[in-house]
Amino acid sequence: MTGIHVPYDPIVPTVHDEIAQGLKDHPAKKGMSFNALVTLIEIGGSIGLFHLAKGLGASDVVSYLVGSIGPVVGGLVIWIKARKFSGASASIFAFTAISAIIALIGSTNPKVLLYKDCAATALIGLIFLGSCVLARKPVVFYMAQRYGTDGTHDGMATFGKMWSTYQDFRTTMYVISYWWAALFLIQAAVTALIIRQTSFSTAYNYDQILPLVATGLGILGSIALGRYFARKGQTRRDTASADLPGPA
């Protein structure tokens, strides 16, 4: 023994390593059943509670208020598991409340009801758009944080680290939010035009079909945009790593 102590320099994981490990430990597949259950509670629960209240003789207003309990329960379930506020549940609650309020305002003429659907869709689009300007994070971030992880605190926290660390990730969330906002606003405008120029039955059919088309385009566009910015970010990081000086 020489008595000379060589200092031990542990390899401290970088934030990139932590994010990669977090995504590996908390993949979306791992939380698929939980997220599906919560979504069923939020959306299916809203519909079920609404019809239950109506069946028990409640007024439309009371029935809508009872139906809004679904997203609140869903948000509570997520908080119990993750100890983290669910922006996705808040968004679903807002969408449900907007639809309910608009449906209760004004005339119940059949075509007016379809126009109300258009108004609700347009307002949801404006929420996506407004979240990019007025909120700390866009709505899409909270949706991705919930459905892109296993729903645990650590899994959702990984998305928080990605938001803080990667400019391309932040850009992706904003661009996808703009994409969804545009789809909702276009859907509302096209549906309103169809309602104006066709019969109620024809307009009703389009009112049921166009949301499915918009949702399909939204999902496909989100996947394509996510992959594009992921490749772009990886290329930038690889270039930056190549430019670092090697050991002397």
Side-chain angles (χ1 to χ4, degrees):
M1 298 292 292
T2 63
I4 299 175
H5 297 282
V6 178
Y8 173 65
D9 185 17
I11 300 175
V12 179
T14 66
V15 66
H16 307 295
D17 297 328
E18 293 176 355
I19 289 172
Q21 189 62 45
L23 293 175
K24 181 180 178 181
D25 293 341
H26 306 281
K29 185 183 297 185
K30 193 174 178 181
M32 189 176 296
S33 298
F34 172 75
N35 282 324
L37 175 61
V38 173
T39 302
L40 180 63
I41 291 172
E42 292 172 332
I43 299 177
S46 294
I47 296 172
L49 288 170
F50 169 79
H51 287 291
L52 176 62
K54 287 289 290 181
L56 294 174
S59 66
D60 289 339
V61 175
V62 172
S63 297
Y64 275 121
L65 290 175
V66 170
S68 66
I69 293 173
V72 176
V73 173
L76 181 61
V77 170
I78 290 178
W79 186 85
I80 291 172
K81 179 177 181 180
R83 291 296 189 271
K84 199 172 184 68
F85 170 74
S86 173
S89 294
S91 299
I92 293 172
F93 175 79
F95 300 158
T96 304
I98 286 172
S99 299
I101 291 169
I102 290 176
L104 293 171
I105 295 174
S107 171
T108 56
N109 175 278
K111 275 206 169 186
V112 172
L113 291 176
L114 295 181
Y115 278 121
K116 288 180 180 182
D117 282 348
C118 295
T121 300
L123 278 174
I124 291 172
L126 291 175
I127 288 177
F128 273 84
L129 189 61
S131 70
C132 296
V133 180
L134 303 175
R136 291 179 58 197
K137 297 180 179 73
V139 169
V140 165
F141 169 81
Y142 296 106
M143 296 293 185
Q145 184 185 48
R146 173 161 149 186
Y147 293 105
T149 69
D150 59 358
T152 61
H153 179 86
D154 290 341
M156 295 172 77
T158 297
F159 265 62
K161 288 181 181 179
M162 292 172 66
W163 177 268
S164 301
T165 306
Y166 300 134
Q167 173 64 43
D168 287 307
F169 179 76
R170 295 193 294 272
T171 301
T172 303
M173 296 296 101
Y174 280 113
V175 172
I176 293 177
S177 289
Y178 287 130
W179 169 245
W180 279 96
L183 285 172
F184 283 129
L185 293 172
I186 292 171
Q187 176 198 330
V190 170
T191 305
L193 183 63
I194 292 172
I195 294 169
R196 180 180 178 182
Q197 296 185 346
T198 64
S199 65
F200 171 77
S201 59
T202 300
Y204 178 84
N205 290 337
Y206 277 102
D207 190 45
Q208 307 307 307
I209 294 171
L210 288 179
L212 299 177
V213 174
T215 300
L217 289 174
I219 293 172
L220 291 175
S222 298
I223 293 172
L225 289 167
R227 289 176 176 174
Y228 168 76
F229 282 104
R231 288 195 301 269
K232 185 178 178 182
Q234 188 60 52
T235 299
R236 180 177 295 143
R237 289 190 292 274
D238 291 343
T239 301
S241 298
D243 290 340
L244 291 175

